[in-house]
Amino acid sequence: MRKKKVMLLCTLIFCCILSACGQKKEEKSEKPRPAAELPEKEPDIDKKNPVKKDTDKTEDKKKEDKKDVKTAPKAEKPKEKPEAERLIQEQTFDTELIPLGNVTFASYLPDTSQMPYGDAEFKVSQNQQVIAVLSGMNQSNTRKEETFHKVEAVSFPDYNQDGYDDIIIICSYLPDDRTKGVYSEARLYYGSAEGRFTLDIGLSEQVNADVMEKTIQNILDFLYQDTDYAEIPQTDEPDDSQADTAWKQAFADYIHNTYGQGGVAGYQLIYVNDDDIPELAVIGNCEAAGCRIVTYANGQTYEKHLRRTNFTYIERENLLCNSDGVMDGYYDLVYCIIDGQMTLIAEGNYGAEDNSSLQVDENGNLIYKYYWNGVEMTEEDYNSALNEVYDMSKAAQGYETGAYYTVEEILAELENN
């Protein structure tokens, strides 16, 4: 009986072992389901904004990328150059212009950073205030297919003989077509009783067409031989008996009318041209007051205010030279009497570009730059050009300290002359 129970128990244990082995085999034989048969995972949906979260992330990424992209900085427009940097020192003058009086005429380079084809600019100032800006050759003050090169010369003659000073300017230009080379162009401005300067386009064009070598002297020669501009109506000349006394009375009236203004040390009578009427030299009592030359013609007096006091003249050869300067800036201004008035016919300037930092050569001589009628040259050529117009060996001194008449003496001299 006991053997039967043991055998039954062994049989049950064996059956359990077989059953467990069968289950393992079935689990191993089950193949994995294909990926296509796996259930699709639903995307996460924002209930308020039915857009896929992946899309939101993409948009955010784009925004971040945009933030990272740096835009190139905009090119800044070049700053306008100050006038002081564009000032042409050798073509800037302190002078007297009728009817304005003492003024500063300033020449400026064009600001090519703003206008590559810009032209030079010219201004007249008085008491540090700009009172006139000369108009350009066209409304925009620019050139066409050429660039500004240099201001060659500036002069202030009364070229139309109306009693008011005018302005002649010569500039040179460099064409884009380099085979043509640099050329010069003149512009003429006529003055008025109101102190305005107007560009004479017609006369400027005529001068540029007919005067081949453009210098101040050549332009004046052209103007004075052209009857359209030289024949100015004049008053009737008094007869000889009247002429003998008219100029004396005119000078006496001038002295009485101006003596009270001050600034006068004395007077001289000099003979500049070859007629029988002398010129009245009014000597200033200081360098700043300068000297004045008073001429008589056509029944009236004309006055030319010289710079500072020093001047010489070649007696009866119709030439006078105002030579003076200060602070390493000097000049020689040559005048002659045309139609009764002192007229500038040639000018020279020389000196240091910067008198605060003077340079010397190997011999210890100061290094100056020399310009005759606006053209730079050597000192030797400058002196030669001056002597061609004005022979210094013939010159008589016009200003000498103490060598002049008092007001009472000059009036007596006029009476007895």
Side-chain angles (χ1 to χ4, degrees):
M1 185 69 180
R2 188 175 176 178
K3 286 185 179 180
K4 287 183 180 180
K5 287 181 179 180
V6 172
M7 292 180 63
L8 179 61
L9 180 60
C10 291
T11 301
L12 288 173
I13 292 171
F14 181 75
C15 289
C16 287
I17 293 172
L18 290 176
S19 176
C21 292
Q23 286 180 357
K24 288 182 180 180
K25 287 182 180 180
E26 286 179 2
E27 287 176 2
K28 288 182 180 180
S29 63
E30 185 179 355
K31 295 181 180 180
R33 296 175 64 180
E37 294 180 7
L38 294 174
E40 294 183 359
K41 185 178 180 181
E42 294 183 1
D44 294 333
I45 304 297
D46 188 338
K47 292 181 180 179
K48 292 183 180 179
N49 186 10
V51 180
K52 293 181 180 178
K53 288 184 178 179
D54 289 346
T55 305
D56 288 344
K57 291 180 180 178
T58 302
E59 292 299 324
D60 291 341
K61 178 65 175 172
K62 288 182 179 178
K63 289 179 181 178
E64 290 177 2
D65 290 344
K66 285 183 179 179
K67 288 181 182 178
D68 292 339
V69 175
K70 294 182 179 180
T71 56
K74 293 182 180 179
E76 292 185 4
K77 186 178 180 181
K79 292 182 180 179
E80 186 175 347
K81 288 185 179 179
E83 280 191 347
E85 292 184 11
R86 299 190 290 115
L87 183 68
I88 306 173
Q89 294 283 358
E90 65 271 17
Q91 296 299 345
T92 295
F93 309 99
D94 291 325
T95 187
E96 181 190 19
L97 297 179
I98 300 174
L100 293 173
N102 294 326
V103 299
T104 297
F105 177 89
S107 303
Y108 296 93
L109 296 167
D111 188 352
T112 53
S113 66
Q114 305 295 316
M115 293 188 298
Y117 287 96
D119 205 348
E121 300 174 34
F122 304 94
K123 298 181 180 181
V124 180
S125 300
Q126 192 171 53
N127 299 323
Q128 299 183 341
Q129 297 292 326
V130 176
I131 60 174
V133 179
L134 303 191
S135 58
M137 294 296 281
N138 56 41
Q139 190 171 2
S140 62
N141 197 37
T142 56
R143 311 299 298 186
K144 185 178 180 181
E145 297 181 351
E146 62 187 13
T147 53
F148 170 80
H149 179 249
K150 187 179 181 182
V151 177
E152 300 288 348
V154 177
S155 187
F156 311 101
D158 179 14
Y159 66 73
N160 57 9
Q161 301 296 294
D162 63 353
Y164 307 110
D165 286 328
D166 309 309
I167 302 175
I168 299 176
I169 301 172
I170 303 173
C171 295
S172 56
Y173 300 91
L174 181 62
D176 289 348
D177 183 356
R178 294 297 192 263
T179 62
K180 295 182 179 180
V182 176
Y183 79 98
S184 297
E185 177 186 85
R187 57 180 79 179
L188 289 80
Y189 299 83
Y190 59 85
S192 69
E194 296 76 27
R196 292 193 295 267
F197 298 97
T198 304
L199 178 63
D200 193 333
I201 290 289
L203 184 57
S204 298
E205 291 178 349
Q206 186 177 358
V207 166
N208 286 317
D210 295 344
V211 179
M212 294 299 102
E213 184 181 355
K214 293 174 183 62
T215 65
I216 298 297
Q217 187 60 57
N218 288 349
I219 292 172
L220 290 174
D221 289 344
F222 170 77
L223 294 178
Y224 294 139
Q225 72 182 3
D226 190 329
T227 55
D228 290 339
Y229 293 92
E231 292 182 356
I232 307 298
Q234 299 181 4
T235 57
D236 294 334
E237 290 286 344
D239 58 36
D240 292 339
S241 60
Q242 292 176 323
D244 287 341
T245 59
W247 66 268
K248 298 179 183 180
Q249 188 60 50
F251 283 163
D253 291 342
Y254 174 89
I255 292 168
H256 284 300
N257 292 334
T258 60
Y259 182 74
Q261 298 175 3
V264 178
Y267 304 86
Q268 288 180 335
L269 291 177
I270 60 177
Y271 287 87
V272 178
N273 58 8
D274 61 355
D275 63 19
D276 294 328
I277 300 176
E279 285 67 52
L280 177 66
V282 183
I283 310 302
N285 61 4
C286 64
E287 287 289 340
C291 290
R292 286 169 278 169
I293 307 298
V294 183
T295 55
Y296 176 85
N298 309 320
Q300 60 181 315
T301 57
Y302 301 92
E303 178 189 73
K304 172 57 68 176
H305 200 139
L306 305 180
R307 299 188 202 172
R308 304 179 72 79
T309 55
N310 188 59
F311 73 93
T312 60
Y313 64 99
I314 301 178
E315 191 171 38
R316 298 188 181 280
E317 290 192 18
N318 197 16
L319 287 169
L320 182 146
C321 187
N322 179 200
S323 302
D324 215 317
V326 65
M327 299 294 288
D328 297 289
Y330 304 96
Y331 50 83
D332 295 291
L333 308 177
V334 182
Y335 295 89
C336 70
I337 299 174
I338 299 176
D339 196 24
Q341 300 182 62
M342 277 290 174
T343 303
L344 183 68
I345 61 169
E347 61 184 294
N349 300 274
Y350 61 95
E353 287 186 309
D354 181 3
N355 62 11
S356 66
S357 179
L358 298 176
Q359 305 293 319
V360 296
D361 60 18
E362 63 275 9
N363 298 319
N365 299 318
L366 288 171
I367 297 175
Y368 285 161
K369 286 196 171 184
Y370 293 80
Y371 298 88
W372 183 256
N373 286 334
V375 179
E376 185 174 359
M377 56 186 61
T378 64
E379 180 181 4
E380 183 180 357
D381 289 341
Y382 177 94
N383 292 329
S384 177
L386 172 59
N387 275 282
E388 283 182 11
V389 178
Y390 188 82
D391 187 348
M392 298 295 292
S393 66
K394 296 181 180 180
Q397 188 63 44
Y399 170 77
E400 292 182 81
T401 303
Y404 41 73
Y405 294 117
T406 65
V407 64
E408 293 82 8
E409 290 171 340
I410 190 64
L411 291 174
E413 183 69 17
L414 290 172
E415 185 69 27
N416 298 328
N417 197 305

